[in-house]
Amino acid sequence: MEGLEKVQASEWKRPDQVMQLHRLKVKKRALQARINNIRVDQNDSTVKSNKCNNSFSQFTGQKRKNPFAKDEICKKSNITSVELEASNDNTLFELLNIEPPKADNVENSILDGSLTFSNALSKLEVHKNFVESETPKGEKYIPIDWTLKTKMRFMSPKPFPWNCKLKTSEEASGTTGFVRCLDISEKDSTLDTSPNARLHRCCLVWQHPSLPWLELFPRSAGKVSANLTSNFTIVNNLPVKDALYKEWSESFRSLFHLLRARQCPYFYVCANNFTALFRAAGICGISEAHAFLTPTTRGFRQFLKQEELFFIEIKYTMPLRKDSKRYSDGADSGCVTSDLSESSPTAVLNNPEEQNFDDDEDETQAEWLQSLGVENSEIQKINSSQARMTLEKETEIDNLKHSLIFVKGVEAQALFNFLINCKSAITITGPLAGVPPTLLAPVAFHGATLKSIKVKESKVRIENERYFSLELKGPLLPHVLPSLCSLMKSSQLEQYSASCAQLNATTAFSAAKQGLEETESEGGSKMPQNVFGKENLSDCGFSDELLQYFCNPDPSHIQLVESIKFSNNLYTWS
């Protein structure tokens, strides 16, 4: 009886055991279904044989193969996908009317990726990216920067081909080459052609006046002089003041005559409150002598319009002013920017008819207001308010770079006459009181003093790397940077960089980008007017390379340069 109870108890199954067996069977079925589905996608016939083998293994008890192991089926599936890609490529070959590859070499050529469109496109894309990454960026030219610079620093990982210790022959040859405007880099020259002599030639400038106890560049009204007693002597001593002004007038006149004769390419007039740049005809492709002056004020611009002073009105344009009136006349060769805005009461000075028309319009408006019953006091308030608004609009650009004025031709001559007779160009207060404006030029003129730029050579470390440094300090004219770059290039210096400290008051000269005058030729095509500019300036003291550089009429070559780098025979700047 006890044995029968044990047998019946063993035949009974507990619910948790039944559910555990059920879950196990469900997992086995899901795994088998997943394996069967994968095999069906790859090869239907192969999956059917696997199902037979699996059922056979269940009955025979043999070990089932690992479904995750790589076998010949995977290899066949891979070959099938490649063959499918080859068939697509053959279709593309037929659409493009290109002869497809031979059948016996299709498999090998596809496997190495030489005849598939996808591989060919990927190779082209990789090659394009490689070429773009390897192609150096930069230009073969140096931009023209008309900004005056106070400091310049060159740095190179390799030593410079010169040193600051000049021999007697090197100093003499450099000075002679600069004074006589000789190119000492030529092989047939009898002067010293060493890098030291050529460097010294690039570091000289002509200046007037030259007062050793005063720093006349840069000019700053707020800068304290080292010895103020001498300044008080100049201001209080009328004969000394008149002698300085007379000598300065002769120097200024001599320099302007050299410019008109195209024997001086350009020069600067540096006053306390403004800076003027005069350029010869042919520079930047402009066919006439021209000048820039910045910054200006409304009072200064109105002063230029007073005909009773010089019996001629100085017409000017403002290239950097955006909200101004535009007009076209023969002197400006097209649409240029005028200082006179549409609402300005001074805009009618050029045209008496416009002035009469505006007066009549004002009278009409006053009569119209009176007809409405407005009292005269209210009309005066309205007129004064409108005049005040107009004045504020005209003076909002004062002392900014947008206040730069540009003149050319006879207007440049008129501006010269204005500056040489303008007593307000000489300040009467401050450390530089009584001292005329500073004249700076690359060629000699009457009363000029030969000044040398301070040069300092040193070694510096940046991020644990040693660099050789060359620092220049003084009035650095626009030809200094391209001259030094040409010297370094001829000395086979492969890599270097330069940074510049600019005189902020003169950045508008480069921002104006005046150049590229064009006229209609006989055939109707446009040609620049600088065809004979280089030949006419052959006696201005510049070499052919520098002359080609400054006569370039393309405005895009005029840039404001703060730093420049040379590498792979290309220049990059910012």
Side-chain angles (χ1 to χ4, degrees):
M1 190 70 179
E2 293 179 358
L4 180 60
E5 292 178 355
K6 290 182 180 180
V7 172
Q8 293 178 353
S10 62
E11 293 179 355
W12 289 97
K13 295 182 179 180
R14 300 180 61 181
D16 56 346
Q17 295 177 353
V18 174
M19 294 304 299
Q20 185 176 4
L21 291 175
H22 177 70
R23 285 194 295 269
L24 183 60
K25 289 181 181 180
V26 171
K27 289 183 179 179
K28 287 182 179 181
R29 292 172 184 173
L31 179 61
Q32 189 64 33
R34 185 172 60 181
I35 295 173
N36 292 338
N37 290 334
I38 294 175
R39 298 293 178 89
V40 168
D41 293 338
Q42 292 178 351
N43 195 332
D44 294 336
S45 61
T46 307
V47 171
K48 290 179 181 179
S49 62
N50 288 339
K51 287 183 178 180
C52 296
N53 293 332
N54 292 335
S55 61
F56 178 76
S57 62
Q58 291 177 0
F59 288 100
T60 58
Q62 295 181 0
K63 185 176 180 181
R64 180 175 58 86
K65 292 184 178 181
N66 186 0
F68 301 101
K70 292 185 179 180
D71 51 7
E72 297 297 330
I73 298 174
C74 297
K75 294 181 180 179
K76 289 182 180 180
S77 63
N78 292 336
I79 294 174
T80 304
S81 61
V82 174
E83 290 176 353
L84 180 61
E85 184 178 0
S87 63
N88 294 334
D89 289 334
N90 290 333
T91 305
L92 289 174
F93 280 122
E94 293 176 0
L95 292 175
L96 296 175
N97 295 325
I98 301 176
E99 183 179 356
K102 296 181 180 180
D104 54 350
N105 296 329
V106 170
E107 183 175 352
N108 295 331
S109 60
I110 290 176
L111 290 177
D112 61 9
S114 60
L115 291 176
T116 60
F117 277 92
S118 59
N119 289 334
L121 292 175
S122 62
K123 287 182 178 179
L124 288 176
E125 188 68 23
V126 171
H127 177 70
K128 180 181 178 181
N129 295 335
F130 177 76
V131 170
E132 291 180 353
S133 61
E134 291 296 328
T135 302
K137 296 181 180 180
E139 301 291 345
K140 293 184 178 181
Y141 65 88
I142 303 174
I144 306 175
D145 188 4
W146 292 103
T147 305
L148 280 173
K149 298 175 176 59
T150 57
K151 291 181 182 180
M152 192 178 296
R153 187 176 187 180
F154 288 86
M155 297 186 66
S156 171
K158 295 183 179 180
F160 295 104
W162 54 73
N163 54 66
C164 295
K165 297 181 180 179
L166 297 176
K167 298 180 181 179
T168 303
S169 61
E170 294 172 345
E171 183 178 358
S173 297
T175 304
T176 302
F178 180 76
V179 173
R180 299 181 183 178
C181 300
L182 301 176
D183 188 3
I184 61 176
S185 62
E186 298 178 355
K187 296 182 179 179
D188 56 350
S189 176
T190 58
L191 299 175
D192 193 335
T193 60
S194 64
N196 276 5
R198 296 170 62 188
L199 174 66
H200 183 63
R201 187 191 184 283
C202 297
C203 299
L204 296 173
V205 64
W206 294 101
Q207 175 182 320
H208 180 87
S210 178
L211 304 177
W213 63 92
L214 291 176
E215 186 176 353
L216 300 181
F217 180 85
R219 298 289 293 252
S220 176
K223 195 169 185 179
V224 179
S225 176
N227 190 356
L228 297 179
T229 58
S230 58
N231 291 26
F232 293 134
T233 302
I234 294 175
V235 175
N236 299 327
N237 195 330
L238 187 60
V240 174
K241 184 178 179 181
D242 292 341
L244 281 175
Y245 174 74
K246 182 179 179 180
E247 189 68 18
W248 178 82
S249 300
E250 292 296 328
S251 298
F252 191 16
R253 185 176 290 105
S254 171
L255 197 51
F256 186 74
H257 289 170
L258 288 172
L259 186 99
R260 290 186 59 188
R262 300 185 181 182
Q263 295 180 7
C264 175
Y266 64 86
F267 68 87
Y268 288 83
V269 182
C270 302
N272 283 18
N273 299 323
F274 66 86
T275 304
L277 167 61
F278 287 81
R279 302 194 311 205
I283 298 296
C284 292
I286 301 179
S287 59
E288 298 177 286
H290 50 283
F292 299 88
L293 193 144
T294 184
T296 61
T297 60
R298 179 182 178 275
F300 183 86
R301 295 190 295 271
Q302 291 299 318
F303 201 54
L304 296 178
K305 296 290 184 180
Q306 298 180 10
E307 298 181 7
E308 62 272 10
L309 294 178
F310 308 108
F311 305 102
I312 186 174
E313 177 187 0
I314 301 178
K315 297 181 181 180
Y316 57 86
T317 59
M318 303 183 70
L320 299 180
R321 185 169 179 177
K322 299 179 181 179
D323 59 340
S324 58
K325 180 181 177 182
R326 293 182 176 270
Y327 66 93
S328 175
D329 57 15
D332 295 316
S333 301
C335 292
V336 292
T337 306
S338 170
D339 173 50
L340 306 176
S341 61
E342 296 181 358
S343 61
S344 173
T346 60
V348 298
L349 293 176
N350 295 336
N351 196 338
E353 296 180 358
E354 292 183 1
Q355 184 174 4
N356 295 334
F357 177 77
D358 291 342
D359 293 342
D360 295 340
E361 185 178 1
D362 293 339
E363 293 178 359
T364 303
Q365 292 178 356
E367 293 176 356
W368 179 71
L369 291 175
Q370 289 178 357
S371 64
L372 295 177
V374 181
E375 297 181 358
N376 292 332
S377 59
E378 294 296 331
I379 295 176
Q380 293 179 358
K381 289 181 180 180
I382 294 174
N383 292 336
S384 62
S385 176
Q386 184 177 2
R388 184 173 62 256
M389 293 174 61
T390 302
L391 179 62
E392 292 177 355
K393 184 177 181 180
E394 291 180 354
T395 58
E396 64 182 3
I397 64 170
D398 287 356
N399 297 318
L400 300 177
K401 69 176 184 178
H402 300 88
S403 64
L404 173 137
I405 63 174
F406 171 69
V407 296
K408 68 176 180 178
V410 295
E411 310 300 335
Q413 174 73 50
L415 181 63
F416 162 74
N417 295 334
F418 173 81
L419 293 179
I420 203 172
N421 294 287
C422 183
K423 298 295 184 180
S424 61
I426 303 176
T427 181
I428 58 176
T429 60
L432 298 178
V435 181
T438 305
L439 304 176
L440 299 173
V443 297
F445 58 94
H446 176 78
T449 303
L450 185 63
K451 305 288 287 187
S452 177
I453 298 172
K454 297 180 181 180
V455 181
K456 180 181 178 182
E457 192 173 9
S458 61
K459 298 178 183 179
V460 296
R461 284 191 174 275
I462 301 177
E463 297 180 357
N464 295 328
E465 293 185 5
R466 186 180 65 174
Y467 290 90
F468 296 87
S469 173
L470 180 71
E471 185 175 349
L472 293 83
K473 183 179 180 181
L476 301 172
L477 301 184
H479 72 277
V480 175
L481 179 60
S483 299
L484 291 177
C485 291
S486 177
L487 174 58
M488 293 185 182
K489 188 176 181 180
S490 62
S491 302
Q492 298 180 354
L493 198 62
E494 299 178 354
Q495 185 179 0
Y496 63 86
S497 62
S499 56
C500 309
Q502 302 168 344
L503 191 62
N504 294 329
T506 62
T507 56
F509 295 147
S510 295
K513 295 186 178 182
Q514 289 291 326
L516 196 63
E517 288 190 351
E518 295 180 345
T519 55
E520 294 290 338
S521 63
E522 296 180 358
S525 60
K526 293 184 178 181
M527 59 182 300
Q529 291 185 352
N530 68 322
V531 177
F532 303 102
K534 182 179 177 181
E535 295 298 329
N536 293 334
L537 289 168
S538 58
D539 295 329
C540 71
F542 281 169
S543 62
D544 293 339
E545 182 181 0
L546 270 181
L547 204 55
Q548 183 69 28
Y549 173 78
F550 282 103
C551 289
N552 192 335
D554 191 354
S556 63
H557 285 211
I558 303 176
Q559 300 288 339
L560 187 64
V561 179
E562 295 182 356
S563 63
I564 189 169
K565 295 181 180 180
F566 177 77
S567 180
N568 298 321
N569 292 325
L570 296 175
Y571 297 95
T572 57
W573 58 85
S574 61

